Amino acid sequence: MRRGRGVRLHVIVALLTLLVLIAVNALFSARYPWWLWVLIAWMPLIAAHTAWAMGLFERKKEGS
């Protein structure tokens, strides 16, 4: 439950940050969408955080 909240917060922060960056990009340099580089860099981090929250990186103990 706590891990899920952390992932949710991570996604919300990422979306709000991207919305601000998209607005800044639209105001100053609309010809080149440089905010996409931030999106490309952030998505694997969110995917890894989600996998961690789901327990995909945990090792299973033998005999359990």
Side-chain angles (χ1 to χ4, degrees), residues 3 48 50-61:
R3 288 181 176 186
T50 303
W52 171 79
M54 293 172 59
L56 297 178
F57 296 134
E58 295 174 3
R59 293 184 182 175
K60 295 185 181 194
K61 295 181 181 177

Side-chain angles (χ1 to χ4, degrees), residues 10-53:
H10 193 175
V11 171
I12 289 169
V13 168
L15 289 175
L16 291 175
T17 303
L18 283 168
L19 285 174
V20 169
L21 291 178
I22 290 168
V24 168
N25 185 201
L27 289 172
F28 293 107
S29 59
R31 294 185 132 205
Y32 181 72
W34 50 261
W35 59 270
L36 284 172
W37 291 108
V38 177
L39 177 68
I40 290 169
W42 215 323
M43 285 301 110
L45 297 174
I46 290 176
H49 194 174
T50 303
W52 171 79

